[in-house]
Structure formats: structure tokens, C-alpha cells
Coordinates of all heavy atoms in Angstrom, one line a residue:
A17 N 31.7 -8.7 5.8 CA 31.5 -8.6 7.3 C 32.6 -7.7 7.9 O 33.7 -7.8 7.5 CB 31.6 -10.0 7.8
G18 N 32.1 -6.9 8.8 CA 33.0 -6.0 9.5 C 33.0 -4.6 8.9 O 33.5 -3.6 9.5
D19 N 32.5 -4.5 7.7 CA 32.4 -3.2 7.0 C 31.3 -2.3 7.5 O 30.5 -2.8 8.4 CB 32.2 -3.4 5.5 CG 33.5 -3.9 4.8 OD1 34.6 -3.9 5.4 OD2 33.4 -4.3 3.6
S20 N 31.2 -1.1 7.0 CA 30.2 -0.1 7.4 C 29.4 0.4 6.2 O 30.0 0.4 5.1 CB 30.9 1.1 8.1 OG 31.5 0.7 9.3
L21 N 28.2 0.8 6.4 CA 27.4 1.4 5.4 C 26.6 2.5 6.1 O 26.2 2.4 7.3 CB 26.4 0.4 4.8 CG 26.9 -0.4 3.6 CD1 25.8 -1.4 3.2 CD2 27.3 0.4 2.4
R22 N 26.2 3.5 5.4 CA 25.3 4.5 5.9 C 24.1 4.6 5.0 O 24.2 5.0 3.8 CB 25.9 5.9 6.1 CG 25.0 6.9 6.8 CD 25.6 8.2 7.1 NE 25.6 9.1 5.9 CZ 25.6 10.4 6.0 NH1 25.7 11.0 7.2 NH2 25.6 11.1 4.9
L23 N 22.9 4.3 5.5 CA 21.7 4.5 4.8 C 21.1 5.8 5.0 O 21.2 6.4 6.1 CB 20.6 3.4 5.2 CG 21.1 1.9 5.1 CD1 19.9 1.0 5.5 CD2 21.6 1.6 3.8
S24 N 20.5 6.4 4.0 CA 19.8 7.7 4.0 C 18.3 7.5 3.6 O 18.0 6.7 2.8 CB 20.5 8.7 3.1 OG 21.8 8.9 3.5
C25 N 17.5 8.3 4.2 CA 16.1 8.3 3.8 C 15.7 9.8 3.7 O 15.6 10.5 4.7 CB 15.3 7.5 4.8 SG 13.5 7.7 4.6
V26 N 15.4 10.2 2.5 CA 14.9 11.6 2.3 C 13.4 11.6 2.3 O 12.8 10.8 1.5 CB 15.5 12.1 1.0 CG1 15.1 13.6 0.8 CG2 17.0 12.1 1.0
A27 N 12.9 12.5 3.0 CA 11.4 12.7 3.1 C 11.0 13.9 2.4 O 11.6 15.0 2.4 CB 11.0 12.8 4.5
S28 N 9.9 13.8 1.7 CA 9.3 15.0 1.0 C 7.8 15.0 1.5 O 7.2 14.0 1.8 CB 9.3 14.9 -0.5 OG 8.7 13.8 -1.0
G29 N 7.3 16.2 1.6 CA 5.9 16.4 2.1 C 5.9 17.3 3.3 O 6.8 18.1 3.5
R30 N 4.9 17.1 4.1 CA 4.7 18.1 5.1 C 5.3 17.7 6.5 O 5.2 16.5 6.8 CB 3.2 18.3 5.3 CG 2.5 18.8 4.0 CD 1.0 18.9 4.2 NE 0.7 19.9 5.2 CZ -0.6 20.1 5.6 NH1 -1.6 19.5 5.0 NH2 -0.8 21.0 6.5
A31 N 5.8 18.6 7.2 CA 6.1 18.5 8.6 C 7.0 17.3 9.0 O 6.7 16.7 10.0 CB 4.8 18.5 9.4
F32 N 8.0 17.1 8.2 CA 9.0 16.0 8.6 C 9.4 16.1 10.0 O 9.6 15.1 10.7 CB 10.2 16.1 7.6 CG 11.3 15.2 8.0 CD1 11.3 13.8 7.7 CD2 12.4 15.6 8.8 CE1 12.3 13.0 8.1 CE2 13.4 14.8 9.1 CZ 13.4 13.5 8.8
S33 N 9.7 17.4 10.5 CA 10.2 17.5 11.8 C 9.3 17.1 12.9 O 9.7 17.0 14.1 CB 10.6 19.0 12.0 OG 9.5 19.8 11.9
R34 N 8.0 16.8 12.6 CA 7.1 16.3 13.6 C 6.7 14.9 13.4 O 5.6 14.4 13.8 CB 5.8 17.2 13.6 CG 6.1 18.6 14.2 CD 4.9 19.5 14.3 NE 5.2 20.7 15.0 CZ 5.0 20.8 16.3 NH1 4.5 19.9 17.0 NH2 5.3 22.0 16.9
Y35 N 7.5 14.1 12.7 CA 7.3 12.7 12.5 C 8.4 11.9 13.2 O 9.6 12.2 13.1 CB 7.4 12.3 11.0 CG 6.1 12.6 10.3 CD1 5.8 13.9 9.8 CD2 5.2 11.6 10.0 CE1 4.7 14.1 9.1 CE2 4.0 11.9 9.3 CZ 3.8 13.1 8.9 OH 2.6 13.4 8.2
A36 N 8.0 10.9 14.0 CA 8.9 9.9 14.5 C 9.4 9.1 13.3 O 8.6 8.8 12.4 CB 8.3 9.0 15.5
M37 N 10.6 8.8 13.2 CA 11.2 8.0 12.1 C 11.8 6.7 12.6 O 12.3 6.7 13.7 CB 12.3 8.9 11.4 CG 11.7 10.2 10.9 SD 10.5 10.0 9.6 CE 11.4 9.2 8.3
A38 N 11.8 5.8 11.7 CA 12.3 4.5 12.1 C 12.9 3.7 10.9 O 12.6 4.1 9.7 CB 11.3 3.6 12.7
W39 N 13.7 2.7 11.2 CA 14.2 1.8 10.2 C 13.7 0.4 10.6 O 13.8 0.0 11.8 CB 15.7 1.8 10.1 CG 16.3 3.1 9.5 CD1 16.7 4.2 10.1 CD2 16.5 3.3 8.1 NE1 17.2 5.1 9.2 CE2 17.0 4.6 8.0 CE3 16.3 2.5 6.9 CZ2 17.4 5.1 6.7 CZ3 16.6 3.1 5.7 CH2 17.2 4.4 5.6
F40 N 13.2 -0.3 9.6 CA 12.9 -1.7 9.7 C 13.7 -2.5 8.7 O 14.2 -1.9 7.8 CB 11.4 -1.9 9.5 CG 10.5 -1.4 10.6 CD1 10.2 0.0 10.7 CD2 10.0 -2.3 11.6 CE1 9.4 0.4 11.8 CE2 9.2 -1.8 12.6 CZ 8.9 -0.4 12.7
R41 N 13.7 -3.8 8.8 CA 14.4 -4.6 7.8 C 13.6 -5.9 7.7 O 13.0 -6.4 8.6 CB 15.8 -4.9 8.2 CG 16.1 -5.7 9.4 CD 17.5 -5.8 9.7 NE 17.8 -6.6 10.9 CZ 19.0 -6.8 11.5 NH1 20.0 -6.1 11.0 NH2 19.1 -7.5 12.5
Q42 N 13.8 -6.5 6.5 CA 13.2 -7.8 6.2 C 14.2 -8.7 5.4 O 14.6 -8.3 4.3 CB 11.9 -7.7 5.4 CG 11.2 -8.9 5.2 CD 9.8 -8.7 4.6 OE1 9.5 -7.7 4.0 NE2 8.9 -9.7 4.8
A43 N 14.6 -9.8 6.1 CA 15.5 -10.7 5.5 C 14.7 -11.7 4.7 O 13.5 -11.9 4.9 CB 16.3 -11.4 6.6
P44 N 15.3 -12.4 3.7 CA 14.6 -13.4 2.9 C 14.0 -14.5 3.8 O 14.6 -15.0 4.7 CB 15.7 -14.0 2.1 CG 16.8 -12.9 2.0 CD 16.7 -12.2 3.3
G45 N 12.7 -14.7 3.6 CA 12.0 -15.7 4.3 C 11.6 -15.4 5.7 O 11.1 -16.2 6.4
K46 N 11.8 -14.1 6.1 CA 11.5 -13.7 7.5 C 10.5 -12.5 7.4 O 10.4 -11.8 6.4 CB 12.8 -13.4 8.2 CG 13.7 -14.5 8.4 CD 14.9 -14.1 9.3 CE 15.8 -15.3 9.6 NZ 16.9 -14.9 10.5
E47 N 9.9 -12.3 8.6 CA 9.0 -11.2 8.7 C 9.9 -9.9 8.9 O 11.0 -9.9 9.4 CB 8.1 -11.3 9.9 CG 7.1 -12.5 9.7 CD 6.1 -12.5 10.8 OE1 6.2 -11.7 11.7 OE2 5.1 -13.3 10.6
R48 N 9.2 -8.8 8.5 CA 9.9 -7.5 8.7 C 10.0 -7.2 10.2 O 9.1 -7.5 11.0 CB 9.1 -6.4 8.0 CG 9.8 -5.1 8.0 CD 9.3 -4.2 6.8 NE 7.9 -4.0 6.9 CZ 7.2 -3.3 6.0 NH1 7.8 -2.8 4.9 NH2 5.9 -3.2 6.1

């Protein structure tokens, strides 16, 4: 607790620059 992390998501395919991007998460026993 209190630490930091940086997540990365590399995309391959077409037209990445024209996609909205998002992060979601899902904890155990919970909905995303």
C-alpha cells in the first residue's frame, strides 16, 4: 500500500490513433 505501478498496453493492428482507450478492472468476486 502506498506504492506505485505503471501499466502498459501495446496495441497492434489498424488505426490505434483513432481508438478511444480505457482501463477496466475486476476484483475477485466482483463485476468488472
Side-chain angles (χ1 to χ4, degrees):
D19 285 350
S20 298
L21 278 175
R22 188 176 80 156
L23 306 183
S24 299
C25 171
V26 179
S28 58
R30 300 176 63 182
F32 169 83
S33 62
R34 289 184 173 266
Y35 280 82
M37 300 297 297
W39 289 94
F40 289 79
R41 68 186 181 186
Q42 186 168 21
K46 295 187 177 182
E47 294 189 354
R48 191 157 55 184

